[in-house]
Amino acid sequence: MTILQSEVLHLLGWCRSVQIALVLVREMKRGSESPWHVWIQSLPRRFNTLMHWNQQELDQLHMNSTTAEQDLLTRVRKQKEAVHASYRKLQRAPVATKWNLTLDELVWAVNVATSRPFSIPSHWTESIAESATPIVIGSLGLLGIMLFKLQSFSHWQNSKEIVACCRFVLAVSVLATAVRSLYQQIGVSTAALVPILDIINHSSTSSSQIEQTWLSNRFEAVIGRQIQQGHEIVHSYGDKPNEDFLQYYGFVEIENVHDAYTANLMQWVIQHFHAETGRVQAVEKSKAASKLLRQAQLTREGWSPDTMQALHKLLAAETHSPFDMLGSLESVKHYREAPAKGTADQAITQVYQVLYHVCQQIVASKPTTLVEDIASLQQAQDLEVQDQHHILALQFCIGKKELLQSCLWQYDPQQL
């Protein structure tokens, strides 16, 4: 970010997406003089991300039934407010006047900066890679000498010291690689725009990987399987629900294997099932258990076994600690499949009643049904409706309602 003036960085703080956006605006203002000119010209001028939806269009998502659903609308509002606040701050910087920066230009650039960057190691991990490179090369050379057991090697003076040195530098290189990998995994990274690779579309089932090679400062796309001529190369943007794809990328993935519906099961239990006060307090004291129930995830495989175990212990009548088995292998085995008919105890029956009741109430609160949404989407596609926001809203609603409908089928108490 050295091309940004210090007063701009001071105003923006660590708002990385806006910093990248300003670099992009600067290059755009340079026109054909910018080395990025051809790539910038190829970028879309319009985005379907939720930042560009008005309130009426956001209402078509049908995300007003619960506080958990409203979190998406809250995130969108805060995202808009953050960009507008950054623009107001930039008005105090001379660079904004110099570039004649408009709000629309900043919003466009922020969309690019949030939808197209790749995560790369931070400067700290990059320095590890750079310093480790000669060590690795040297270690490989010495190791090769050892493996081939050159005859002259045994006659070298201080050969034992050389072997010890080789082992040392090899150990250092392995350690440096492990540390760098660890820092990448825990999120010590930054964002970078990578032209050409950023045009690859998303598929949650893709096995390809896009990674930065640390022996050379470049990105590589590793497809992982043979691609026939004429077929599209795709890449997974991450295990994300459709909320994230729609908010930051402007699309909804049909049959998204990682899509999820979030519900506050704790709130439902307190309001409708009158859980014992002591057991509720025990949940609230456990951060892990509280998160499991307040941010419960319904996926295509159902509610997680750990979530069901926490709910079971919350509703059970026993006096022992409700979380002594939380996350155990027994809970995973116990809730992987529905109990055989007639074998469920009262608490297990209540678990199914809660989960069924939650999904039933949410489905009933929607202004349209799953069948109606599917018919509306088919009609819009047949008529080639140009309103992309309406199409995306229908696709989004269908995905969520399919999850809720699967919950009604899977957790019907009548099957116990």
Side-chain angles (χ1 to χ4, degrees):
M1 294 299 168
T2 55
I3 65 174
L4 293 181
Q5 298 180 10
S6 59
E7 69 267 18
V8 175
L9 296 177
H10 175 72
L11 288 171
L12 296 177
W14 289 100
C15 189
R16 179 63 63 179
S17 62
V18 178
Q19 291 183 8
I20 294 177
L22 286 178
V23 174
L24 187 61
V25 169
R26 178 186 183 277
E27 295 302 306
M28 180 180 66
K29 295 292 186 178
R30 292 178 62 188
S32 58
E33 295 181 359
S34 171
W36 290 12
H37 177 67
V38 175
W39 174 70
I40 291 176
Q41 291 297 109
S42 71
L43 293 173
R45 297 296 114 182
R46 297 183 60 185
F47 289 87
N48 290 319
T49 54
L50 294 181
M51 282 184 62
H52 299 278
W53 292 37
N54 58 40
Q55 188 58 49
Q56 184 179 3
E57 292 170 331
L58 289 173
D59 290 341
Q60 295 181 33
L61 297 174
H62 300 168
M63 294 294 282
N64 291 305
S65 300
T66 66
T67 54
E69 287 187 352
Q70 293 169 5
D71 285 345
L72 172 61
L73 304 181
T74 301
R75 293 205 316 262
V76 174
R77 188 189 75 251
K78 289 182 178 180
Q79 185 185 20
K80 291 180 179 180
E81 292 174 350
V83 175
H84 283 246
S86 296
Y87 181 73
R88 290 192 297 270
K89 291 179 180 179
L90 286 169
Q91 298 307 298
R92 304 197 299 267
V95 68
T97 304
K98 178 182 178 181
W99 294 348
N100 193 24
L101 179 66
T102 66
L103 178 60
D104 288 341
E105 289 175 335
L106 181 62
V107 170
W108 171 82
V110 168
N111 272 277
V112 175
T114 55
S115 64
R116 306 182 81 88
F118 290 87
S119 177
I120 65 173
S122 65
H123 296 301
W124 197 90
T125 51
E126 286 177 354
S127 63
I128 291 180
E130 293 173 358
S131 60
T133 299
I135 296 178
V136 171
I137 295 175
S139 298
L140 291 176
L142 290 175
L143 186 61
I145 295 175
M146 293 176 60
L147 292 177
F148 282 103
K149 298 181 179 180
L150 294 178
Q151 184 176 3
S152 59
F153 183 82
S154 59
H155 300 293
W156 286 359
Q157 187 178 7
N158 301 324
S159 60
K160 292 183 178 180
E161 289 76 2
I162 296 176
V163 172
C165 179
C166 175
R167 291 174 177 173
F168 172 76
V169 293
L170 181 60
V172 170
S173 65
V174 171
L175 179 61
T177 304
V179 170
R180 181 179 183 275
S181 176
L182 175 62
Y183 270 76
Q184 284 182 290
Q185 292 177 13
I186 64 177
V188 183
S189 61
T190 188
L193 296 172
V194 186
I196 306 301
L197 287 184
D198 68 340
I199 67 175
I200 300 179
N201 286 327
H202 164 81
S203 173
S204 60
T205 59
S206 173
S207 60
S208 66
Q209 295 182 353
I210 296 179
E211 54 190 24
Q212 184 188 29
T213 58
W214 67 284
L215 289 178
S216 61
N217 190 23
R218 65 179 183 180
F219 274 85
E220 291 182 349
V222 183
I223 306 305
R225 64 183 179 88
Q226 187 173 4
I227 303 295
Q228 297 181 357
Q229 185 176 359
H231 288 225
E232 183 182 13
I233 295 176
V234 293
H235 168 65
S236 174
Y237 294 178
D239 300 344
K240 305 177 186 294
N242 277 333
E243 289 96 321
D244 290 350
F245 289 136
L246 189 54
Q247 180 177 358
Y248 299 109
Y249 299 90
F251 69 85
V252 171
E253 183 181 15
I254 309 299
E255 302 293 332
N256 180 4
V257 298
H258 301 296
D259 199 13
Y261 182 87
T262 303
N264 188 340
L265 297 182
M266 174 66 71
Q267 186 180 47
W268 284 90
V269 170
I270 293 175
Q271 292 179 353
H272 302 284
F273 288 84
H274 310 294
E276 296 179 8
T277 303
R279 305 185 82 77
V280 173
Q281 292 175 348
V283 171
E284 294 175 342
K285 290 180 180 179
S286 171
K287 291 183 179 180
S290 178
K291 183 177 181 179
L292 277 172
L293 294 180
R294 294 187 184 279
Q295 300 178 20
Q297 297 282 316
L298 171 64
T299 67
R300 291 180 176 272
E301 297 181 354
W303 304 95
S304 73
D306 283 347
T307 297
M308 295 185 68
Q309 177 70 4
L311 189 57
H312 177 274
K313 292 299 180 180
L314 178 63
L315 297 170
E318 295 88 352
T319 57
H320 60 268
S321 171
F323 304 110
D324 56 356
M325 293 173 61
L326 187 60
S328 65
L329 291 177
E330 288 79 2
S331 69
V332 175
K333 295 177 182 177
H334 190 72
Y335 286 106
R336 185 61 65 188
E337 299 179 357
K341 191 174 182 65
T343 63
D345 61 28
Q346 182 179 0
I348 293 178
T349 302
Q350 283 187 306
V351 168
Y352 275 69
Q353 288 175 342
V354 169
L355 298 177
Y356 184 85
H357 178 75
V358 168
C359 295
Q360 185 182 52
Q361 292 295 314
I362 294 174
V363 168
S365 69
K366 302 301 180 184
T368 58
T369 66
L370 173 60
V371 174
E372 291 171 341
D373 286 345
I374 293 175
S376 296
L377 178 60
Q378 185 62 52
Q379 183 182 21
Q381 292 173 338
D382 291 342
L383 297 176
E384 298 183 354
V385 174
Q386 299 300 314
D387 186 354
Q388 287 299 310
H389 293 180
H390 178 61
I391 299 293
L392 289 170
L394 286 172
Q395 293 174 338
F396 179 85
C397 289
I398 289 172
K400 298 305 177 184
K401 290 175 183 177
E402 285 178 342
L403 290 173
L404 293 168
Q405 188 62 55
S406 70
C407 173
L408 295 179
W409 293 332
Q410 188 174 353
Y411 299 101
D412 186 352
Q414 298 298 323
Q415 67 178 300
L416 299 179

